[in-house]
Amino acid sequence: MKKFIIVKRFMTCFLLCLFLIFGTGFMSVRSYAGTSSVKAGVVSGFYDDEDSFDTGSEEDDESDRSDQADTSDDAVIIPDGSKIDILVLSSYSMRDTIVQPEIEGISNILSESSFDISYEFMDSRRYDSEEDIAIYYSYLSNKLLRGKKYSCIIACDDAALSFLLNHEELMEDTPVVYMGIQDQHNVDDAAKYDNVIGITENYDYEGNISAIHSMLPSVNKLYVVVDNSYIGRLDYSKFLEIEDDYSELEWNYINISEMEMDEVKEILQNLDSNCAVIMSDVYETKDGQVNSFSYNAVILTECSSVPVFCLAYDLTGSGVAGGIVYDCVKAGETAALMAMQIINGRAPSEINVIAETPTIPIYDKEVLSHYSISMSSLPSGSVVRNAPLSITEFFATYYGIIIPFIFVILAIIIEIVFQSHRQQRFLSTDYLTGLPNRGYIDGQFRKMSGNNNQYGLILVDIDDFRSINDLYGNSIGDKVIVETALRLKKLFSGNGITGRLGGDEFIVIIKDPSVENIEEYCRNIIGSFDTPIIADTQQMVINVTVGAAMRSPEMDSIEALNNAAEALRYAKDKLRHNYYFFNTELGKAQIRRRAIKTTIEEALVNDGFEIFYQPQFITGTNKLFGVEALIRLKNNIAGPGEFIPVAEENMSIIRIDRVVTEKTIKQWHNWLLKGYDLPAVSINFSNIQLNDRGYPNYVFEKLAQYDLDPSYIVIEITESSFLTTSSRTTEYFNAFTSSGIRLSIDDYGTGYSSLSYLNRLPFSGLKIDQSLIRTEPTKENLFMIEKIIEIAHSRNYHVVAEGVETKEQEDFLKSVGCDATQGFMRGKPMRAEDLEKLFDTVL
């Protein structure tokens, strides 16, 4: 009986709490319904700045309130079970610092019950070349022009809006709402369209300076960290504009795109207490790496002796003190509300552009406490992270409230805690796979550096993943990524941390392993992909390559990660579909490659390169046919076979190719002044050089500078440079031939050979790769060489065979009509002065 009474009392209290909670909720709903309009699940007219959204009269407002129970003519009527399709086009990748908050803001407004939202990510920080844009246009145009009809497109940040404005056919019948736009040219261009509206993004430069002055009155030196990206340059110009308004401050600028990171660290480590640092949008480092803002924030704050404040986005939790930053969530909500107004029937031209950027002052209490910054000095309305909830303040605020309402408040607090936990999980989880993301993994590395445990690191990379996206589309590629994550998670369930670093690269962290265990794990990973992956109707055999390393207790975690990355690089280059464990020899190779990289940079700055020339002779004679220009290091620390791959890795090959071009053209000019009747000179061109879109104009400028006729220049193009020749690439090469420069196919017969592309570009010559000349002269091999020459001559190509070292090879080539030979038999690569001596004997 007593048990029954206890249960009865408990149920009474429980029902009372439910009644209060639902009653309060009902009151909130009624209150909300009185200030907003709800039509078929679409909310309209809810924003702080009502004038920016509403251009109607008071009579219209009265009409709306009186007819609230009915569906008006301009409302969107959603049939049962159907949804409104909206496309969100983001400029960046899913792992970018601002993307997840923007998506969160949009999702806060556009409910899943009424809207079917598709997301597309351009990843413009890494893939911003004209060819990348063309590829992306090919994909997206198919979706927009031939796929389902979208009611609205939300363009997030400048690259996405610029892409749509440059391809206006994609938005011809579809309204566009933009957000996060900093480029005024984009805003001005968007204003030309009746169906484009949105919200701009402008940082609070002066507000941040004033806040720093309030928090740290003794600061009289300010260090601003920028980079060479568009936003970095914009921030730099904005600070220059306000320098005079703060003449009491000494302004200093640090550009991480122009300084080595070690130099930056040294500056920040030695700052006095009268200094402060502001971090702009920085992601492009000098070595060409594109890092996330949070990653660079960790690097800068770990070495800085003074507080680092952020200007653009919320980077609290990365060691940054905070700042008055762009409120990505609020911007996303605002854009979503604009989209719903348009869906409800309002024309975009009737909605005003919102030029007042939503900002939020947000600071990290742990960092503030470390630098003894008083909480009372923060800007009004500041959000403080890592600040424990004060019980005293809580009870003081709600003192006198009756007991039943305390249950409601507690329920709200519990929901806030769960929401914060969900948000933290959201920020630390990969959007596509649900695995821990790079931010979470970086946090684990910081923890690892502070303990004495031993860890195993395994990096997994999907082979030829870009080809999967190219052949089947991004949706199939995403499903391959998801399936890969599932297989890895199943392998390491409970045995380690499995995460996604980005793209097609995954990581596994294993605590206290042995070398034998790590190698067994690597073999298991490779074996787990023996079973094909089925994505939609496509069945694909996927292979992975694995690199592994061990982190000993005394080793820095970043060094261990670099070792694993080095092992993965070696496995991809040398093994494929296999694994490699980092060892001492590979470490030596890593150190060697770094030394070569340093040597290349020094040579580019200090004229450390010289050109060797290898002559080409008319077959069977000592008569010159042509010359090939070859790059060498003056200090001879590394040969071309060693330093050129390193240069291609870090893209410095582009600058090296320009060095070769200028030195060669200048040398030909000097020899012509001496009266030599010179042959043409060949300059090599690799597929990486396609990224140098200004190279053709550079060649023309140097020809004009040294008054050299273009007919003296032959550009030797490797086959891989035009295997997938696009129209833009064809235009790139046609720029040479239209000016009189000749094109020749280099290394023909290396395995890529196809007769179909010989007609794509106006070639005048072809060079047979030395691998065909030096192999055993079998009947099949000799027949292949003969046919190559026959086909080339049928197209009026001159044919040069390289690697000719014996009289027998030369005699055969002469018998089948090869025009010229190049090789050690008649002439090795030589310095300019030696080639000049040769000219004296043969010209």
Side-chain angles (χ1 to χ4, degrees), residues 789-802:
I789 295 171
E790 181 181 329
I791 293 170
H793 283 168
S794 70
R795 289 169 167 77
N796 295 320
Y797 295 175
H798 293 294
V799 180
V800 178
E802 62 179 343

Side-chain angles (χ1 to χ4, degrees), residues 600 642-654 656 688:
I600 291 172
E642 190 174 14
F643 76 75
I644 287 179
V646 175
E648 289 179 337
E649 283 181 13
N650 63 10
M651 302 297 287
S652 60
I653 190 67
I654 290 176
I656 291 174
I688 293 178

Side-chain angles (χ1 to χ4, degrees), residues 249-323:
L249 294 176
E250 177 184 323
W251 294 78
N252 303 274
Y253 297 92
I254 300 173
N255 191 326
I256 68 169
S257 296
E258 297 178 358
M259 298 176 64
E260 294 292 347
M261 195 55 71
D262 287 341
E263 298 178 64
V264 175
K265 291 180 179 179
E266 184 176 358
I267 293 173
L268 297 182
Q269 285 170 352
N270 297 297
L271 295 181
D272 298 325
S273 59
N274 63 336
C275 302
V277 177
I278 293 184
M279 176 182 171
S280 171
D281 294 37
V282 289
Y283 57 89
E284 293 182 359
T285 57
K286 184 178 180 182
D287 59 3
Q289 291 295 316
V290 177
N291 301 323
S292 66
F293 301 132
S294 57
Y295 180 87
N296 283 334
V298 171
I299 294 176
L300 296 175
T301 55
E302 283 183 346
C303 66
S304 178
S305 60
V306 298
V308 177
F309 295 89
C310 52
L311 171 70
Y313 310 115
D314 176 15
L315 297 177
T316 52
S318 302
V320 171

